[in-house]
Amino acid sequence: MKYLVSVIDDTSNSATPDEMVAIRAFNEGLQADGHWVFAGGLADPSTATVVDNRGSEPMITDGPFLETKEYFAGFWIMEAPDLDVMLRLATEASKACNRKLEVRPLL
Amino acid sequence: MSVHDVREAITRAHREEWARVVASLTKRFGDLDIAEEAAAEAFAVAVERWPADGVPPGPGAWLTTTANRKAIDRIRRESKRDDKHKEAQLMYGDDPPDPLGVIDDERLRLIFTCCHPALAMETRVALTLRMVGGLTVAEIARAFLVQETAMGQRITRAKGKIKAARIPYRVPSAEDLPARVSGVLAVLFLVFNEGYLATGPDTDPVRHELTSEAIRLTRLIRALLPDDGEVAGLLALMLLTEARRTARVSASGELVTLDEQDRGAWDTALIAEGHRLVRERLASGVAPGRYQLLAAINAVHTSARDVRDTDWSQVVALYDQLVRLEPSPIIVLNRAVAVSELDGPEVALAAVDRLEDQLAGYHAFHATRAELLRRLGRSQQARAAYDTAIELAGNTAETAYLTRRRGQLG
């Protein structure tokens, strides 16, 4: 079972050196224990572009599709057998990256 | 067997077997929705057939077998429609039905799944009452004053999340167990409190169906986790509170406070059972948690035949322990009430006034202040405090009581 773990923040690229060390150590643990799938940081929402090609012509628009105070600044995709294991990992991840997280199952 | 006896047998089977049937089907089919529906269908078949065929010798086994058959029917029906569904079901379909005896563990799994921390509190309450308590969606909706469709949706959404996010169907690991048990107890305590101090302008002040359901489920947890002190503590707390239920509301529907209650009307059997549990916990020598301390406070109150015999210093000492464990303003407020009996209203009022920032929106804060101000002869301020308390109180009996007390001010 795969879960998307989104990192919630109100600034981008704001991880301190200490946090980077903690995140790296956490990621190594994920890889060693078989929970790692993928992870990445996201650039600021102001760099986003919205593409909509549902109509007759593709529409390209500047900016995120939702303007919010808090947004996703990064993510993990983790492998876990169930939500209890996943929540334990997310609890550690939140501590390591020092941010609030949202956990959602992948279909 | 008369029609009446059969109906009674069905009611009893529902009370005793519902959770077992749902639990064993959830284990087998890995799906709460299928388990719930099949269990409901099995009981519907019982209602139809038992009057004619007689009550089977093992009603629980009969219901489980019937429900299993109903669940398999549904899965077959759906797998014809949707092959993907079939795959999901097959993961669990190979398990043989469990022998009797380990089923108690399954009820426990069911309770932990329904009270999972990833579900909202109100959802946990609804799901527990439906899956473990066997209440209908209509009954739960009525109990919490929401529309039946809204309650149905809440339960459906919860089942969807359990499945999609894969909330596991098992007893939590040893390291998670204490926190998870306390989550289950919080759900049961909430159900009990809603029954004991029902909110809403048109509801009965005390809703016995909720208090008794909470007690029944807590007894079940106690049977499953007999060594857990807080489980025993919560059960004792509920029993000692429930024992005073009939004395707590007057014939005219007004709240009767502890000091004015007819103690002869208290239920002595419930009190004896509650006291036994409190003594058992004291003898264990293990440091008590919040429910055990609350139960002990209630044990002191219910030990006094007359309110004047109450051992207030013991009550205050127990509240001191509770405050150290859980420094919540509501506990400090309740402690102040006991302090007023020991050290007088002036000392108590000073302690209460310090809570204003935190409790200004809580009716009991204003009601407590009003009583203390009355005792100090400060009628005008007492009246203002009663006004605010009446405005904030959601329970009809409490409002009636506060209104009378305000009317009696000089």
Side-chain angles (χ1 to χ4, degrees), chain B residues 201-251:
Chain B
D202 302 317
T203 56
D204 289 337
V206 178
R207 277 186 297 191
H208 180 48
E209 73 279 10
L210 285 180
T211 55
S212 63
E213 184 61 22
I215 289 174
R216 192 174 76 84
L217 293 177
T218 310
R219 282 192 196 280
L220 172 63
I221 309 265
R222 159 108 178 128
L224 299 171
L225 299 168
D227 300 327
D228 189 294
E230 281 294 84
V231 174
L234 181 61
L235 179 58
L237 172 60
M238 287 180 180
L239 294 172
L240 295 174
T241 313
E242 179 78 355
R244 308 195 299 261
R245 179 168 58 84
T246 49
R248 198 163 164 277
V249 178
S250 72

Coordinates of all heavy atoms in Angstrom, one line a residue, chain B residues 201-251:
Chain B
P201 N -32.6 21.7 23.5 CA -33.7 22.3 24.2 C -34.9 21.3 24.3 O -35.7 21.5 25.2 CB -34.1 23.5 23.3 CG -33.5 23.2 22.0 CD -32.3 22.4 22.2
D202 N -35.1 20.4 23.4 CA -36.3 19.5 23.4 C -36.0 18.1 23.8 O -36.8 17.2 23.6 CB -36.9 19.5 22.0 CG -37.2 21.0 21.5 OD1 -37.8 21.7 22.3 OD2 -36.9 21.3 20.4
T203 N -34.8 17.9 24.4 CA -34.5 16.5 24.7 C -34.8 16.2 26.2 O -34.8 17.1 27.0 CB -33.1 16.1 24.4 OG1 -32.3 17.1 25.1 CG2 -32.8 16.3 23.0
D204 N -34.9 15.0 26.5 CA -35.0 14.6 27.9 C -33.6 15.0 28.6 O -32.6 14.9 27.9 CB -35.1 13.1 28.1 CG -36.5 12.6 27.6 OD1 -37.4 13.5 27.7 OD2 -36.7 11.5 27.3
P205 N -33.7 15.4 29.8 CA -32.4 15.8 30.5 C -31.4 14.7 30.6 O -30.2 14.9 30.6 CB -32.9 16.4 31.8 CG -34.3 16.0 32.0 CD -34.8 15.7 30.6
V206 N -32.0 13.5 30.9 CA -31.1 12.3 31.0 C -31.5 11.3 30.0 O -32.7 11.0 29.9 CB -31.2 11.7 32.4 CG1 -30.3 10.5 32.5 CG2 -30.8 12.7 33.5
R207 N -30.6 10.8 29.1 CA -31.0 9.8 28.2 C -30.4 8.5 28.5 O -29.3 8.2 28.3 CB -30.7 10.3 26.8 CG -31.8 11.2 26.3 CD -31.6 11.5 24.9 NE -30.4 12.3 24.8 CZ -30.0 13.0 23.7 NH1 -30.8 12.9 22.7 NH2 -28.9 13.6 23.7
H208 N -31.3 7.7 29.2 CA -30.9 6.5 29.8 C -30.3 5.5 28.7 O -29.4 4.7 29.0 CB -32.1 5.9 30.5 CG -31.8 4.5 31.1 ND1 -30.7 4.4 31.9 CD2 -32.4 3.4 31.1 CE1 -30.7 3.1 32.3 NE2 -31.7 2.5 31.8
E209 N -30.9 5.6 27.5 CA -30.4 4.6 26.5 C -28.9 4.8 26.2 O -28.2 3.8 25.9 CB -31.3 4.6 25.2 CG -31.1 5.8 24.3 CD -31.9 7.1 24.7 OE1 -32.4 7.1 25.9 OE2 -31.9 8.1 24.0
L210 N -28.4 6.0 26.3 CA -27.0 6.3 26.0 C -26.2 5.9 27.3 O -25.1 5.3 27.1 CB -26.8 7.7 25.7 CG -27.2 8.2 24.3 CD1 -26.9 9.6 24.1 CD2 -26.5 7.3 23.2
T211 N -26.6 6.2 28.5 CA -25.8 5.9 29.6 C -25.7 4.4 29.8 O -24.7 3.8 30.0 CB -26.4 6.5 30.9 OG1 -27.7 6.1 31.1 CG2 -26.3 8.0 31.0
S212 N -26.8 3.7 29.5 CA -26.8 2.2 29.7 C -26.0 1.6 28.6 O -25.3 0.6 28.8 CB -28.2 1.6 29.8 OG -28.9 1.8 28.6
E213 N -26.0 2.1 27.4 CA -25.2 1.6 26.3 C -23.7 1.8 26.6 O -22.9 0.9 26.4 CB -25.6 2.2 25.0 CG -24.9 1.7 23.8 CD -25.1 0.2 23.5 OE1 -26.2 -0.3 24.0 OE2 -24.3 -0.5 22.9
A214 N -23.4 3.0 27.1 CA -22.0 3.2 27.5 C -21.5 2.3 28.5 O -20.4 1.7 28.5 CB -21.8 4.7 27.9
I215 N -22.3 2.0 29.5 CA -22.0 1.1 30.6 C -21.8 -0.3 30.0 O -20.8 -1.0 30.3 CB -23.0 1.1 31.7 CG1 -22.9 2.4 32.5 CG2 -22.8 -0.1 32.7 CD1 -23.9 2.7 33.6
R216 N -22.7 -0.7 29.2 CA -22.7 -2.1 28.6 C -21.3 -2.3 27.8 O -20.7 -3.3 28.0 CB -23.9 -2.3 27.7 CG -24.1 -3.7 27.3 CD -25.4 -3.8 26.5 NE -25.2 -3.3 25.1 CZ -24.8 -4.0 24.1 NH1 -24.4 -5.3 24.3 NH2 -24.7 -3.5 22.9
L217 N -21.0 -1.2 27.0 CA -19.8 -1.4 26.2 C -18.5 -1.3 27.1 O -17.5 -2.0 26.8 CB -19.7 -0.3 25.1 CG -20.8 -0.4 24.0 CD1 -20.7 0.8 23.1 CD2 -20.7 -1.7 23.3
T218 N -18.6 -0.5 28.2 CA -17.4 -0.5 29.1 C -17.3 -1.8 29.8 O -16.1 -2.3 30.0 CB -17.6 0.7 30.0 OG1 -17.8 1.9 29.3 CG2 -16.3 1.0 30.8
R219 N -18.4 -2.4 30.2 CA -18.3 -3.7 30.8 C -17.6 -4.7 29.8 O -16.9 -5.6 30.2 CB -19.7 -4.3 31.1 CG -20.3 -3.7 32.3 CD -21.6 -4.5 32.7 NE -22.4 -3.8 33.6 CZ -22.2 -3.8 34.9 NH1 -21.2 -4.4 35.4 NH2 -23.0 -3.2 35.7
L220 N -18.0 -4.6 28.5 CA -17.4 -5.5 27.5 C -15.9 -5.3 27.5 O -15.1 -6.3 27.5 CB -18.1 -5.2 26.2 CG -17.4 -5.9 24.9 CD1 -17.6 -7.4 25.0 CD2 -18.1 -5.4 23.7
I221 N -15.5 -4.0 27.4 CA -14.0 -3.7 27.4 C -13.3 -4.3 28.7 O -12.2 -4.8 28.6 CB -13.7 -2.2 27.3 CG1 -14.5 -1.6 26.2 CG2 -12.2 -1.9 27.2 CD1 -13.8 -1.5 24.9
R222 N -14.0 -4.1 29.8 CA -13.5 -4.6 31.0 C -13.3 -6.1 31.0 O -12.3 -6.6 31.5 CB -14.5 -4.2 32.2 CG -14.3 -5.0 33.4 CD -13.7 -4.2 34.5 NE -13.7 -5.0 35.7 CZ -12.6 -5.2 36.5 NH1 -11.4 -4.7 36.1 NH2 -12.6 -6.0 37.5
A223 N -14.3 -6.8 30.4 CA -14.2 -8.3 30.3 C -13.0 -8.6 29.4 O -12.3 -9.7 29.6 CB -15.5 -8.9 29.8
L224 N -12.7 -7.8 28.4 CA -11.7 -8.1 27.4 C -10.3 -7.7 27.9 O -9.3 -8.3 27.6 CB -12.0 -7.4 26.1 CG -13.3 -7.9 25.4 CD1 -13.6 -7.0 24.2 CD2 -13.2 -9.4 25.0
L225 N -10.3 -6.6 28.7 CA -9.0 -6.1 29.3 C -9.1 -6.0 30.8 O -9.1 -4.9 31.4 CB -8.7 -4.7 28.7 CG -8.5 -4.6 27.2 CD1 -8.5 -3.1 26.8 CD2 -7.2 -5.3 26.8
P226 N -9.2 -7.1 31.5 CA -9.5 -7.1 32.9 C -8.4 -6.5 33.8 O -8.7 -6.0 34.9 CB -9.7 -8.6 33.3 CG -9.0 -9.3 32.2 CD -9.1 -8.5 31.0
D227 N -7.2 -6.4 33.3 CA -6.1 -5.9 34.1 C -5.9 -4.4 33.9 O -5.0 -3.8 34.6 CB -4.8 -6.6 33.8 CG -5.0 -8.1 34.1 OD1 -5.7 -8.4 35.1 OD2 -4.4 -8.9 33.4
D228 N -6.6 -3.7 33.0 CA -6.4 -2.3 32.8 C -7.1 -1.5 33.9 O -8.3 -1.5 34.0 CB -6.9 -1.9 31.4 CG -6.5 -0.5 31.0 OD1 -7.0 0.4 31.6 OD2 -5.7 -0.4 30.1
G229 N -6.3 -0.7 34.6 CA -6.8 0.1 35.7 C -7.8 1.2 35.3 O -8.8 1.4 35.9
E230 N -7.5 1.8 34.2 CA -8.4 2.9 33.7 C -9.7 2.4 33.2 O -10.7 3.1 33.3 CB -7.6 3.7 32.7 CG -6.6 4.7 33.3 CD -7.3 5.8 34.1 OE1 -7.6 5.5 35.3 OE2 -7.6 6.9 33.6
V231 N -9.7 1.2 32.6 CA -11.0 0.6 32.2 C -11.9 0.4 33.4 O -13.0 0.7 33.5 CB -10.7 -0.7 31.4 CG1 -12.1 -1.4 31.1 CG2 -10.0 -0.5 30.1
A232 N -11.3 -0.2 34.5 CA -12.0 -0.4 35.7 C -12.4 0.9 36.3 O -13.6 1.0 36.8 CB -11.1 -1.2 36.7
G233 N -11.6 1.9 36.2 CA -11.9 3.2 36.8 C -13.1 3.8 36.0 O -14.0 4.4 36.7
L234 N -13.1 3.8 34.7 CA -14.2 4.4 34.0 C -15.5 3.6 34.3 O -16.5 4.3 34.4 CB -13.9 4.3 32.5 CG -15.0 5.0 31.6 CD1 -15.2 6.4 31.9 CD2 -14.7 4.8 30.1
L235 N -15.4 2.3 34.3 CA -16.6 1.6 34.6 C -17.2 2.0 36.0 O -18.4 2.2 36.2 CB -16.4 0.0 34.6 CG -17.6 -0.8 34.9 CD1 -18.7 -0.5 33.9 CD2 -17.2 -2.3 34.8
A236 N -16.3 2.1 37.0 CA -16.7 2.5 38.3 C -17.3 3.9 38.3 O -18.3 4.1 38.9 CB -15.5 2.4 39.3
L237 N -16.6 4.8 37.6 CA -17.1 6.1 37.5 C -18.5 6.2 36.9 O -19.4 6.8 37.4 CB -16.2 6.9 36.6 CG -16.6 8.4 36.3 CD1 -16.8 9.2 37.5 CD2 -15.5 9.0 35.3
M238 N -18.7 5.4 35.9 CA -20.1 5.4 35.2 C -21.1 4.8 36.2 O -22.2 5.3 36.3 CB -20.0 4.5 34.0 CG -19.3 5.2 32.8 SD -19.4 4.1 31.4 CE -18.5 5.1 30.1
L239 N -20.7 3.7 36.9 CA -21.7 3.0 37.8 C -22.1 4.0 38.9 O -23.3 4.1 39.3 CB -21.1 1.7 38.3 CG -20.8 0.6 37.3 CD1 -20.1 -0.5 37.9 CD2 -22.1 0.1 36.7
L240 N -21.1 4.6 39.5 CA -21.4 5.5 40.6 C -22.2 6.7 40.2 O -22.9 7.3 41.0 CB -20.1 5.9 41.3 CG -19.3 4.7 42.0 CD1 -18.0 5.2 42.5 CD2 -20.2 4.1 43.1
T241 N -22.0 7.2 39.0 CA -22.8 8.3 38.5 C -24.2 7.8 38.1 O -25.2 8.5 38.5 CB -22.1 8.9 37.2 OG1 -20.7 9.0 37.5 CG2 -22.7 10.2 36.8
E242 N -24.3 6.7 37.4 CA -25.6 6.1 37.0 C -26.4 5.8 38.2 O -27.7 6.0 38.2 CB -25.3 4.9 36.2 CG -26.6 4.2 35.7 CD -27.3 4.8 34.5 OE1 -26.8 5.9 34.1 OE2 -28.3 4.3 34.0
A243 N -25.8 5.4 39.3 CA -26.5 5.1 40.5 C -27.4 6.3 41.0 O -28.4 6.1 41.7 CB -25.5 4.7 41.6
R244 N -27.0 7.5 40.7 CA -27.7 8.7 41.2 C -28.7 9.2 40.2 O -29.3 10.2 40.4 CB -26.6 9.8 41.6 CG -25.5 9.3 42.5 CD -24.8 10.4 43.1 NE -24.1 11.3 42.1 CZ -22.8 11.2 41.8 NH1 -22.1 10.3 42.3 NH2 -22.3 12.0 40.9
R245 N -28.8 8.5 39.1 CA -29.5 9.1 37.9 C -31.0 9.5 38.3 O -31.4 10.6 38.0 CB -29.6 8.0 36.8 CG -30.4 8.5 35.6 CD -30.1 7.5 34.4 NE -30.4 6.2 34.7 CZ -31.7 5.6 34.6 NH1 -32.7 6.4 34.2 NH2 -31.9 4.4 34.9
T246 N -31.7 8.6 39.0 CA -33.1 8.9 39.2 C -33.3 10.0 40.2 O -34.2 10.7 40.2 CB -33.9 7.7 39.7 OG1 -33.1 7.1 40.8 CG2 -34.1 6.7 38.6
A247 N -32.3 10.2 41.1 CA -32.3 11.2 42.1 C -31.9 12.6 41.6 O -32.1 13.6 42.2 CB -31.5 10.9 43.3
R248 N -31.4 12.6 40.4 CA -30.7 13.7 39.9 C -31.7 14.7 39.2 O -31.3 15.9 39.0 CB -29.7 13.3 38.9 CG -28.6 14.3 38.6 CD -27.4 13.7 38.0 NE -26.6 14.7 37.3 CZ -26.9 15.2 36.1 NH1 -27.8 14.7 35.4 NH2 -26.1 16.1 35.6
V249 N -32.8 14.2 38.8 CA -33.8 15.1 38.1 C -35.1 15.0 38.9 O -35.6 13.9 39.2 CB -34.0 14.7 36.7 CG1 -35.1 15.7 36.0 CG2 -32.7 14.8 35.9
S250 N -35.7 16.1 39.3 CA -36.9 16.1 40.1 C -38.1 15.8 39.2 O -38.0 15.7 38.0 CB -37.1 17.5 40.7 OG -37.5 18.4 39.7
A251 N -39.3 15.5 39.9 CA -40.5 15.2 39.2 C -40.9 16.3 38.2 O -41.4 16.0 37.1 CB -41.6 14.9 40.2

